[in-house]
Amino acid sequence: QVQLVESGGGLVQAGGSLRLSCAASGRTFSSYAMGWFRQAPGKEREFVAAIRWNSGSTYYADSVKGRFTISRDNAKNTVYLQMNSLKPEDTAVYYCAAGAGVAGPYDYWGQGTQVTVSS
């Protein structure tokens, strides 16, 4: 079992930055691939970024590539999402998730954190 708690969301102006954190409980955190997803109002949840268990490979949606960076610290049981050059279309609830592989399925989900980017 893995429990996930996101933090770091908030209101930021376009062009600004935020760093989201996802703290995990459970002794097997380091064995899971971790992903970030987001859901904007009226839209389906979409993939944002993912990282393998050993931080060896990272994956990004085209819409965030070059602006967002996913990383993890297995010693701290935490995964991060550094978001730079934010745009209003990045506004969404952001969720972290844990799964057996970066392609899923993702078995464990956090409660989400709101990111709002004003123009």
Side-chain angles (χ1 to χ4, degrees), residues 6 17 20 30-31 35 38-39 42 45 47 49 53 56 62-63 65-66 69 74 87 96 98 106-107 109 111 113-114:
E6 301 96 335
S17 299
L20 304 183
S30 61
S31 66
R38 67 186 182 187
Q39 187 167 19
R45 186 163 56 191
F47 168 79
W53 69 272
D62 288 342
S63 58
K65 203 170 293 183
T69 302
N74 287 339
K87 305 175 181 180
C96 71
Y106 286 86
D107 300 311
W109 294 82
Q111 84 290 347
T113 185
Q114 176 70 47

Side-chain angles (χ1 to χ4, degrees), residues 4 29 31-35 51 53 72 97-102 104-108:
L4 305 172
F29 169 79
S31 66
Y32 286 93
M34 298 298 297
I51 186 168
W53 69 272
R72 67 190 295 166
V102 291
Y106 286 86
D107 300 311
Y108 304 101

Side-chain angles (χ1 to χ4, degrees), residues 66-86:
R67 299 188 298 121
F68 290 11
T69 302
I70 188 172
S71 62
R72 67 190 295 166
D73 185 337
N74 287 339
K76 294 182 178 180
N77 280 10
T78 302
V79 63
Y80 305 97
L81 185 68
Q82 177 67 44
M83 305 186 295
N84 299 328
S85 301
L86 283 161

Side-chain angles (χ1 to χ4, degrees), residues 44-63:
E44 293 188 352
R45 186 163 56 191
E46 64 175 1
F47 168 79
V48 175
I51 186 168
R52 291 190 184 277
W53 69 272
N54 61 355
S55 302
S57 299
T58 56
Y59 305 86
Y60 298 94
D62 288 342
S63 58

